[in-house]
Amino acid sequence: MNGEVERHHQARRGEMEKALVFRTLQEETPGPKWRSLFDYHWPAYEAWYLAEGERERPGYLSCYNALRRHMPELLDTYRALCELAGGGDLAARFLSLYQPPPYITGCSQAVLVRHGAPVLARNYDYPPELCEGTVLYTRWNGRGVIAMTDCLWGVLDGMNEAGLAVSLAFGGRKAVGEGFGAPIILRYLLEFCDSVPQAAEVLARVPSHMAYNVTLTDAAGRYVTAMIAPDQRASIRRVAVATNHQKKIEWYAHALASETLIRERQLSILVDDPATSEARLLDAFAAPPLFRRDYARGLGTIYTAAYWPLSGRISYRWPQQRLELAFEHFPEQQLRVRYGPR
């Protein structure tokens, strides 16, 4: 009988556990490695993109013209990726990330500056089965960019070799409007901006289809958090901390489930304390309330990322594993991470 009970518990634990393979890939210009990513992920992305019906998504010309108007420097890369993806209408519309279906994440992020040297740290909270798990090192526009990808070429967080580091968190509002998915806006920042002031100008003018908080820092130690949304002007402030609300709580159910205020307070205390070191900050990201295990509701922490703009060093972290990377050290490898309640 005890054996039957134990097997039952093991089966239940197996149902609750999730696993994700993280990969590092380096490809200077769009080519076969990116095409392999597209081939692998496209069936799931196609289903997601059409979930509300094809008529809910904009046509190709609308997507192309929106890119040409707001981020024209990306067009050459966009065309190359569309060609690699087979040149199909639907894939091209998806890859524009213009007016995509709405999606919601958790996330905590903070900048700590000590002796003029900044570090941007973040936790990405999301369902593991919906994360690509690809760290991509590219030189698509003559500049090295290392980023955790989303939607095949968008950016969840990343850094360029000029020392600009960026991170994305959901803004905790239900508003959906005309604009781009934030990951392609972050890609644009890393491809063409050198500094926080340049990136802030872009965030003030490029429309986002949902509310997001973008935290940035650069090699000069400057930092801001930009609160962007489709229904109001971007608010760009010298704030080092962001979780999942903007100036006030608007979506109370999400705020309660994600514990956004608790996490914001924890990060603010740490960043404001002169005794907080980089090690202390990163240890905090590995423990509650910042590190969350609510995978059943899609609010568990998938990874911790840390970016050091001055040295070009990057660290991706899990409770028992790490990936230590840099622009001068980027081995291609795979790492399997298991997720569960404990």
Side-chain angles (χ1 to χ4, degrees):
M1 184 67 176
N2 289 339
E4 291 291 332
V5 171
E6 178 59 25
R7 281 193 291 273
H8 171 75
H9 287 320
Q10 287 177 351
R12 290 295 298 156
R13 285 194 295 269
E15 290 172 7
M16 296 175 72
E17 285 185 351
K18 304 174 187 291
L20 176 62
V21 174
F22 286 84
R23 298 174 175 86
T24 57
L25 290 179
Q26 183 172 0
E27 189 172 52
E28 291 208 353
T29 59
K33 292 181 182 180
W34 186 87
R35 173 60 192 261
S36 70
L37 289 177
F38 176 85
D39 290 342
Y40 181 79
H41 291 292
W42 175 237
Y45 273 128
E46 181 180 23
W48 169 72
Y49 192 67
L50 296 177
E52 297 177 321
E54 186 173 352
R55 290 185 178 182
E56 294 299 312
R57 307 278 69 83
Y60 171 73
L61 282 179
S62 295
C63 296
Y64 184 88
N65 288 334
L67 274 175
R68 184 175 62 178
R69 176 183 177 187
H70 296 287
M71 296 181 282
E73 299 91 338
L74 274 183
L75 282 175
D76 286 346
T77 303
Y78 171 69
R79 294 189 193 101
L81 296 178
C82 288
E83 183 176 350
L84 280 171
D89 173 79
L90 192 63
R93 291 155 65 189
F94 163 77
L95 288 170
S96 75
L97 269 71
Y98 181 63
Q99 300 292 103
Y103 48 91
I104 299 168
T105 65
C107 310
S108 309
Q109 51 204 33
V111 174
L112 184 71
V113 182
R114 292 292 179 263
H115 310 294
V119 58
L120 170 62
R122 70 99 102 253
N123 276 359
Y124 183 61
D125 302 342
Y126 201 57
E129 64 272 18
L130 300 181
C131 181
E132 290 179 19
T134 301
V135 183
L136 191 60
Y137 184 179
T138 59
R139 197 172 292 275
W140 289 341
N141 293 282
R143 165 179 289 154
V145 173
I146 297 175
M148 187 72 74
T149 63
D150 187 56
C151 295
L152 296 168
W153 70 308
V155 170
L156 296 173
D157 47 79
M159 182 166 66
N160 65 26
E161 62 184 359
L164 178 67
V166 300
S167 178
L168 176 66
F170 174 57
R173 300 179 63 236
K174 293 183 179 181
V176 178
E178 183 177 343
F180 294 91
I184 197 173
I185 301 175
L186 267 63
R187 168 61 67 182
Y188 185 48
L189 299 180
L190 292 182
E191 294 291 335
F192 298 105
C193 296
D194 295 329
S195 65
V196 164
Q198 289 180 2
E201 290 181 5
V202 171
L203 290 167
R205 67 171 176 81
V206 176
S208 169
H209 82 129
M210 291 186 71
Y212 286 96
N213 298 330
V214 182
T215 300
L216 312 96
T217 190
D218 62 21
R222 293 168 292 211
Y223 62 86
V224 298
T225 290
M227 297 180 178
I228 59 176
D231 59 342
Q232 57 192 29
R233 295 180 61 184
S235 172
I236 301 174
R237 300 183 295 163
R238 193 172 184 271
V239 174
V241 168
T243 52
N244 301 123
H245 60 280
Q246 296 191 328
K247 294 179 180 179
K248 61 181 181 179
I249 299 295
E250 295 187 31
W251 189 356
Y252 287 92
H254 183 272
L256 183 63
S258 67
E259 299 181 324
T260 181
L261 290 174
I262 295 171
R263 291 181 288 115
E264 181 190 50
R265 177 172 173 77
Q266 173 79 355
L267 284 174
S268 296
I269 290 171
L270 285 165
V271 169
D272 291 343
D273 184 352
T276 298
S277 63
E278 290 182 355
R280 181 184 176 193
L281 179 69
L282 292 173
D283 285 345
F285 273 97
L290 300 180
F291 191 95
R292 311 190 71 226
R293 297 185 180 274
D294 193 359
Y295 299 105
R297 291 194 292 177
L299 293 171
T301 299
I302 299 182
Y303 65 87
T304 301
Y307 297 91
W308 286 268
L310 275 176
S311 64
R313 187 163 61 92
I314 299 166
S315 180
Y316 299 101
R317 302 179 175 210
W318 301 268
Q320 307 297 329
Q321 302 176 86
R322 290 187 185 182
L323 279 176
E324 303 292 343
L325 305 169
F327 287 98
E328 301 302 323
H329 174 74
F330 193 89
E332 293 192 337
Q333 55 192 302
Q334 294 188 9
L335 184 150
R336 185 177 182 85
V337 179
R338 295 188 178 277
Y339 301 93
R342 285 283 175 253

